[in-house]
């Protein structure tokens, strides 16, 4: 029996998922922009959204970050930060051609997938990349070895797969997918390609898996699950799907507390609350305050994992921070 099931069914309650919110890769990426602004001064250019969250982007813009879509929008010789989702090698070449000072804030877990792609391509494998078409992370990974990589967008994409040699095929994946859907895609691929190899270690990141796992734990007890996150955040969108699949009566994605529709709460006794991996906890606290005003004052935190992983800042930035500290020294 879970803690959730032993809570008396009086009053209105909130089951608060933990872990939720910032993962190590997002924390590092946001910190990279903040430290760069302090060290080099504004403006600092960031290619694409540093992480997929409206509030984070607005906050950094207010501090002097300028978000651009492509390197061409960055003045020659300026500093540009690449987002946590990773970029294709050609993006580095473009930056070099414009004499940009590039700082790479790619999440190390995404970098790992890039390295796998390069290694398997060098060994002449066909690489089946499970992911969502058009997602920045998929574009970056595919750019490592475009001639070897084909995208498989979920289980329904399996039928379109063709390979040169069924003995030399490996699957990799975007780090922010639904664990269950990815495993379903892999199972279908293996029916078609029995000798399909798996990545050396799981590509779906620990934070994505952990956040989905705790949502599965609470979902069946919830009349509605509110996920705090942005619509372009793959892992946040997945959390809503996971909640409904795991038995929640309804699931909704909101960026901010004021986006919650009162109608969602009309007959609810138990509300689940969680947030995507690029969401600062202050936004979750605002949702809890909103719910408390409507009678949901009994908050129980359900914990399924404790995350202690941290990543150090990008090498380029660390070097400059060290040099600046020595100069002051």
């Amino acid at each position: 029996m879970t803690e959730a099931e032993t809570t008396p069914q009086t009053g209105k309650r909130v089951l608060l998922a933990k872990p939720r919110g910032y993962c190590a890769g997002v924390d590092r990426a946001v910190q990279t922009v903040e430290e760069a602004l302090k060290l080099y001064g504004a403006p600092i250019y960031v290619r694409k959204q540093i992480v997929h969250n409206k509030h984070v982007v607005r906050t950094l813009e207010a501090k002097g970050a300028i978000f651009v879509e492509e390197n061409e929008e960055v003045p020659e010789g300026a500093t540009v930060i690449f987002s946590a989702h990773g970029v294709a090698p050609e993006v580095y070449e473009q930056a070099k051609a414009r004499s940009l000072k590039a700082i790479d804030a790619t999440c190390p877990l995404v970098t790992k997938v890039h390295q796998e792609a390069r290694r398997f391509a060098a060994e002449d494998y066909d690489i089946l990349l499970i992911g969502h078409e058009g997602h920045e992370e998929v574009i970056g990974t595919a750019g490592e070895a475009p001639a070897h990589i084909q995208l498989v967008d979920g289980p329904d994409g399996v039928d379109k797969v063709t390979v040169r040699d069924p003995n030399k095929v490996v699957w990799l994946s975007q780090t922010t997918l639904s664990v269950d859907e990815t495993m379903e895609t892999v199972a279908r691929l293996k029916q078609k390609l029995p000798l399909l190899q798996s990545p050396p270690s799981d590509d779906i990141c620990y934070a994505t898996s952990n956040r989905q796992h705790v949502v599965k734990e609470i979902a069946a007890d919830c009349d509605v699950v509110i996920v705090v996150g942005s619509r372009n955040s793959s892992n946040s969108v997945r959390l809503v799907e996971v909640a409904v699949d795991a038995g929640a009566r309804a699931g909704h994605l909101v960026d901010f507390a004021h986006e919650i529709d009162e109608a969602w709460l009309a007959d609810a006794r138990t509300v689940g609350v969680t947030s995507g991996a690029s969401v600062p906890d202050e936004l979750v606290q605002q949702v809890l305050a909103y719910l408390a005003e409507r009678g949901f004052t009994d908050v129980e935190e359900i914990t399924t994992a404790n995350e202690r992983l941290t990543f150090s800042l990008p090498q380029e930035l660390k070097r400059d921070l060290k040099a600046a500290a020595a100069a002051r020294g």
Side-chain angles (χ1 to χ4, degrees), residues 148-215:
H148 288 264
I149 291 176
Q150 56 185 301
L151 182 67
V152 184
D153 197 339
D156 295 340
V158 172
D159 296 340
K160 298 190 209 89
V161 169
T162 56
V163 298
R164 294 168 302 155
D165 179 355
N167 299 306
K168 287 197 80 171
V169 194
V170 64
W171 70 270
L172 302 176
S173 85
Q174 185 181 329
T175 62
T176 54
L177 300 177
S178 155
V179 177
D180 293 342
E181 187 181 291
T182 302
M183 293 298 61
E184 187 190 331
T185 306
V186 171
R188 294 212 6 205
L189 283 169
K190 283 189 169 164
Q191 282 173 353
K192 184 170 182 165
L193 301 160
L195 296 174
L196 177 72
Q197 291 189 36
S198 300
S201 62
D202 203 346
D203 283 347
I204 294 179
C205 90
Y206 75 96
T208 299
S209 304
N210 286 348
R211 277 149 195 69
Q212 289 176 18
H213 179 65
V214 66
V215 162

